[in-house]
Amino acid sequence: MTLTAFNWPQLQNGSDIRGVALEGVEGEAVNLTPEIAQILGMAFVHWLSQTLNKSTSELTVGVGRDSRISGPTLMDAVLAGITKMGSNGYNFGLASTPAMFKSTVTDGFNCDGAIMLTASHLPFNRNGLKFFTAQGGLGKGDITQILSLAAEQTFEKAADPGQVSEHNFIGVYAAELVSQIRAAVNHPDQFEQPLQGLHIVVDAGNGAGGFYAEQVLKPLGADITGSQFLDPDGTFPNHIPNPENKEAMAAICQAVTEQQADFGIIFDTDVDRAAAVDHLGQDLNRNRLIALISAVVLREHPGSTIVTDSITSDGLSQFIGDELGGVHHRFKRGYKNVINESVRLNQSGQESWLAIETSGHGAMKENYFLDDGAYLISKLLVELAKSKMAGRNITDLIANLTEPQESEEYRIKIQTDDFKAHGNSVISKLEEFAGQQTDWQIVPNNYEGIRIALNSPSEQGWLLLRLSLHDPVLPLNIESNVEGGVASISAKLTSFFQSIDGLNLPPELISS
């Protein structure tokens, strides 16, 4: 099996593999075929064998998938590659990304490695692979090695192929969450059903998260009436399963309001991200979600450092530091960046129990630093149950969080071949421009791009311009604490950007 002309590096997306698995979108040719998937399965087994110093016949690899249409075919192909190398494969069927990691550390399974077939919130035609060992998700360098092995294809098929067996691991994973919630609430009168009397609505967006309603909330006694889009459907007919998507958040907020529910939950496609909605139909997302889980974590671990990505608000920093007594460490975008920084801080002696991105990727030290949307929500449900028993609302925990009056994100496209060099040049020019503005101050200790504090009465906020991790784009985030502040800031920036060649400004920035 050879694909000598195939461009394997094109499949790398940071610490994941992603590609086009189905026809149907103009200009997007299929590059993640069953043949490619089978070779990737073989390459991962070869990599595992070298990394763990085990023969391929000693290895067991678990494979799961989200609800994408291409999932079953690609899963069969990956498992074929695994077994051709002599390893045994566990077919976990529909699963979540966090569950796939857990299969490597759960007694009775203890897979040597695991693969999740998912492309997160990307469109129906995309798919990809995420890889795990008991040490966690593979890093960027590991993926590069696996793709190199796939390109070389120096591995040989085993004389005795391995076997595939089917297992319902998502049921095992769900049962563990149920046990954790029961133990954490520890209600003497309703230990088995600590969520009894709570009405909780789940929106899975037709991804892989529908199990949470039936297999976690129901056994705990919650009323899940009004939960929606629980059935897996890889065409995603209702909305994109993505907590950052406005339509998706509007759908779960509306469901909570219509059902007069106590709480709402929304997951992304593969359940490594989540967001919530309070009893008033207000979203608990981005800064509000970070503040809420930070309040829980800092009560359990006073003084801990909370690591977030770069676009969190000034109000969140003040809340974590002044209100909760924690340390806010604002780092780079990218969930792996945030997690790795929290791990690094712990290794250096600075206690950090939470790493979380505004996208909803949240990872906790107590849970292998796994970005696990279901685990994050389960932590909040424990607090929800305790709050109800005490006659409080869970949102009382963030009553003193100062939120911006206005916030916007714009994506400025870079139209040059060497987009990274040009993007960095634009950031340097903005630094010069900022120095010429009254009441603009460059924020120190910023880890990517440039963050500027805006102190004039008509602006009162901040902006961050950075280079996208993978795309020829300069994301621009602006927040203001005064009405009309974003428009005032945007107008000043538009004239600056229009003076630079090679940029395509979004219409909403020009018209703001």
Side-chain angles (χ1 to χ4, degrees):
M1 185 185 300
T2 57
L3 289 168
T4 54
F6 186 72
N7 180 10
W8 290 94
Q10 71 176 320
L11 295 177
Q12 181 155 6
N13 183 60
S15 58
D16 299 342
I17 284 174
R18 286 185 181 172
V20 179
L22 294 173
E23 301 282 359
V25 177
E26 186 177 352
E28 295 189 5
V30 172
N31 62 1
L32 185 57
T33 64
E35 184 180 18
I36 295 296
Q38 183 177 135
I39 296 171
L40 289 170
M42 298 173 77
F44 180 52
V45 166
H46 188 70
W47 180 89
L48 267 181
S49 176
Q50 293 179 325
T51 302
L52 302 180
N53 195 26
K54 286 185 174 183
S55 68
T56 58
S57 62
E58 295 178 277
L59 299 175
T60 299
V61 180
V63 185
R65 63 175 178 83
D66 67 18
S67 60
R68 291 172 185 280
I69 302 168
S70 58
T73 301
L74 292 180
M75 171 177 273
D76 288 345
V78 169
L79 285 165
I82 290 167
T83 55
K84 283 182 179 181
M85 295 291 287
S87 302
N88 290 324
Y90 286 168
N91 182 339
F92 290 139
L94 193 71
S96 71
T97 293
M100 294 314 300
F101 164 74
K102 284 294 184 70
S103 73
T104 69
V105 294
T106 297
D107 290 343
F109 292 89
N110 295 114
C111 296
D112 296 287
I115 300 172
M116 178 67 181
L117 287 156
T118 182
S120 189
H121 60 281
L122 294 180
F124 78 97
N125 66 321
R126 305 292 187 90
N127 215 324
L129 293 83
K130 294 184 177 183
F131 301 90
F132 298 93
T133 68
Q135 281 66 53
L138 269 58
K140 184 177 180 181
D142 301 319
I143 302 303
T144 301
Q145 287 182 33
I146 289 171
L147 288 170
S148 294
L149 291 169
E152 295 165 3
Q153 293 178 53
T154 56
F155 34 76
E156 297 181 0
K157 297 177 185 177
D160 297 315
Q163 301 296 314
V164 174
S165 55
E166 295 186 2
H167 302 270
N168 175 26
F169 189 75
I170 199 69
V172 176
Y173 170 76
E176 182 180 338
L177 292 174
V178 169
S179 296
Q180 289 170 348
I181 293 171
R182 283 173 177 156
V185 178
N186 197 25
H187 193 292
D189 299 324
Q190 52 187 68
F191 180 83
E192 290 294 315
Q193 295 192 321
L195 302 184
Q196 192 172 19
L198 287 167
H199 186 178
I200 302 173
V201 175
V202 177
D203 184 329
N206 302 111
F211 77 93
Y212 197 86
E214 294 289 341
Q215 298 184 55
V216 178
L217 296 182
K218 258 193 172 182
L220 292 169
D223 176 2
I224 61 170
T225 304
S227 292
Q228 57 192 18
F229 317 140
L230 303 183
D231 294 333
D233 184 340
T235 65
F236 308 128
N238 295 290
H239 61 68
I240 296 171
N242 179 9
E244 287 193 292
N245 179 266
K246 290 182 179 179
E247 182 181 304
M249 286 307 300
I252 182 61
C253 289
Q254 180 179 349
V256 169
T257 301
E258 289 179 352
Q259 293 292 325
Q260 297 183 318
D262 298 295
F263 203 64
I265 300 165
I266 185 168
F267 294 113
D268 77 337
T269 318
D270 59 326
V271 202
D272 60 358
R273 293 188 293 133
V277 177
D278 69 14
H279 67 290
L280 298 175
Q282 300 284 329
D283 68 270
L284 296 169
N285 203 8
R286 299 176 68 85
N287 287 291
R288 288 166 60 81
L289 178 66
I290 297 172
L292 191 59
I293 189 62
S294 294
V296 173
V297 168
L298 284 165
R299 188 174 56 204
E300 297 173 353
H301 307 284
S304 173
T305 296
I306 309 296
V307 181
T308 74
D309 60 338
S310 59
I311 64 171
T312 46
S313 70
D314 292 341
L316 178 67
S317 288
Q318 294 164 1
F319 181 74
I320 290 173
D322 298 342
E323 184 73 20
L324 302 179
V327 177
H328 182 202
H329 181 57
R330 189 187 285 124
F331 197 57
K332 300 176 183 178
R333 286 284 277 176
Y335 74 96
K336 289 290 284 187
N337 287 330
V338 173
I339 292 170
N340 290 341
E341 179 68 0
S342 189
V343 171
R344 185 193 69 80
L345 290 176
N346 281 289
Q347 291 173 343
S348 70
Q350 183 174 346
E351 192 175 74
S352 176
W353 284 84
L354 174 64
I356 185 167
E357 238 198 343
T358 48
S359 65
H361 279 286
M364 305 188 71
K365 182 180 178 183
E366 69 194 50
N367 189 40
Y368 304 93
F369 272 116
L370 174 66
D371 51 320
D372 185 342
Y375 188 90
L376 181 71
I377 288 297
S378 296
K379 290 285 289 188
L380 296 183
L381 291 182
V382 170
E383 187 59 38
L384 181 71
K386 290 181 176 180
S387 295
K388 178 179 173 58
M389 294 168 191
R392 296 182 284 104
N393 292 315
I394 188 172
T395 47
D396 292 348
L397 288 174
I398 57 172
N400 293 330
L401 172 67
T402 300
E403 300 188 70
Q405 183 86 7
E406 300 175 341
S407 64
E408 290 291 343
E409 179 173 288
Y410 306 102
R411 295 179 67 81
I412 302 168
K413 295 180 180 178
I414 304 172
Q415 297 179 310
T416 60
D417 291 336
D418 191 353
F419 72 87
K420 290 188 177 181
H422 192 59
N424 286 323
S425 172
V426 174
I427 291 169
S428 295
K429 289 177 181 178
L430 180 59
E431 185 173 0
E432 295 175 12
F433 180 76
Q436 300 165 5
Q437 308 305 308
T438 305
D439 296 324
W440 281 28
Q441 182 178 359
I442 296 170
V443 177
N445 302 320
N446 188 59
Y447 291 90
E448 62 178 349
I450 181 171
R451 189 180 179 107
I452 303 170
L454 315 168
N455 300 314
S456 74
S458 63
E459 296 172 344
Q460 286 296 307
W462 59 270
L463 68 86
L464 175 75
L465 183 72
R466 62 184 177 85
L467 186 61
S468 172
L469 296 174
H470 308 295
D471 302 319
V473 170
L474 284 163
L476 171 65
N477 292 86
I478 304 175
E479 284 193 2
S480 175
N481 296 321
V482 295
E483 187 175 349
V486 167
S488 176
I489 298 161
S490 298
K492 195 178 294 185
L493 286 171
T494 297
S495 61
F496 163 75
F497 288 125
Q498 287 176 331
S499 69
I500 301 174
D501 293 333
L503 298 180
N504 183 8
L505 304 186
E508 59 269 23
L509 177 59
I510 297 171
S511 62
S512 62

